[in-house]
Amino acid sequence: MHLFSYYHEKVRILLERRKTLVLFAALYAICLILGIVFIKTPSVYEYHFRSCERFLNRVCYSQTNVVLIFLKRTLGCCAYLALISVCSVHIIPACAMIPTVLCYRAYTFGGAAWIFVSVYKMSGVFVLLVLYVPIRLLCDFIYVCCSVCSFARVKEFSWQKRDFAQLFSNFIRDCILIVAVCLLEMILLLVLYHPIGALL
């Protein structure tokens, strides 16, 4: 299947399974709000604070080569995608793992957003709006769409060699979208935080 045809097929599945898409989107929105609501819990606050510190120190203000940052971020994002893709082999992991991944992503997104605004003030708001939110939302949008497609393919998976080959092929095609988002993040990092010499 050509790349364009594959993405066209994904759009068709999303349109056919609008209820599942709305359900996952609603679950994501609820968990995002809960991430903000429960941020005052000491252990939760500490977790999100360390997460934001790592993002600022290792991504925004890091002296590391931006290409290396791009590779690390891409691998990390593709790991979530791999979990979602594997869930298409059976309904049990699909029902257990996919909501867990989406809830975790949304919950930590909400908590991190609150930390950026309340702790880092204007500099945090700038990072949040210009870099963190666009990249996070684009990645999570891809995860939600791929989650719907994984559910749609559960009934078709028959544990044959060709099914595993197709699963891997679909994963690689979906990773192209993640690579594009992480490439955008790298460009934003170069423009906003890293000198052009950081490429060298």
Side-chain angles (χ1 to χ4, degrees):
M1 185 185 292
H2 294 299
L3 199 59
F4 179 78
S5 300
Y6 173 74
Y7 294 138
H8 184 270
E9 177 66 12
K10 287 185 77 73
V11 172
R12 184 190 65 79
I13 293 173
L14 292 172
L15 292 176
E16 287 183 354
R17 295 183 171 260
R18 289 188 294 272
K19 291 182 179 179
T20 307
L21 179 61
V22 170
L23 178 63
F24 283 157
L27 178 66
Y28 185 90
I30 291 170
C31 289
L32 190 151
I33 294 171
L34 290 176
I36 299 173
V37 171
F38 291 106
I39 191 64
K40 292 293 185 180
T41 306
S43 59
V44 174
Y45 180 90
E46 197 63 32
Y47 177 84
H48 286 104
F49 181 77
R50 288 197 303 268
S51 177
C52 292
E53 281 281 287
R54 284 196 302 270
F55 183 80
L56 291 173
N57 294 331
R58 299 181 185 180
V59 178
C60 295
Y61 304 118
S62 173
Q63 298 301 312
T64 305
N65 186 302
V66 287
V67 175
L68 185 58
I69 294 174
F70 162 74
L71 292 175
K72 288 180 178 179
R73 298 280 290 169
T74 301
L75 287 174
C77 291
C78 286
Y80 288 108
L81 192 59
L83 286 175
I84 293 170
S85 298
V86 168
C87 288
S88 63
V89 302
H90 197 273
I91 190 63
I92 293 178
C95 290
M97 184 62 69
I98 288 178
T100 300
V101 170
L102 297 181
C103 287
Y104 173 78
R105 292 284 299 181
Y107 189 83
T108 54
F109 185 17
W114 192 92
I115 293 290
F116 276 123
V117 173
S118 62
V119 175
Y120 299 102
K121 308 304 179 183
M122 289 305 298
S123 62
V125 171
F126 180 79
V127 171
L128 181 70
L129 297 180
V130 177
L131 183 64
Y132 191 83
V133 167
I135 301 303
R136 186 68 178 248
L137 284 181
L138 284 171
C139 285
D140 288 349
F141 176 74
I142 293 171
Y143 296 149
V144 169
C145 292
C146 289
S147 296
V148 175
C149 293
S150 286
F151 261 95
R153 295 190 181 108
V154 165
K155 292 183 179 180
E156 301 172 2
F157 198 87
S158 57
W159 297 87
Q160 300 296 318
K161 183 178 179 180
R162 57 179 172 79
D163 293 317
F164 285 102
Q166 188 64 49
L167 178 66
F168 181 73
S169 177
N170 292 342
F171 169 69
I172 294 300
R173 292 184 179 107
D174 292 335
C175 281
I176 293 174
L177 300 175
I178 294 295
V179 169
V181 175
C182 291
L183 187 61
L184 172 62
E185 181 183 56
M186 188 184 80
I187 294 171
L188 289 173
L189 285 172
L190 274 173
V191 171
L192 299 172
Y193 296 101
H194 294 256
I196 201 68
L199 278 170
L200 304 176

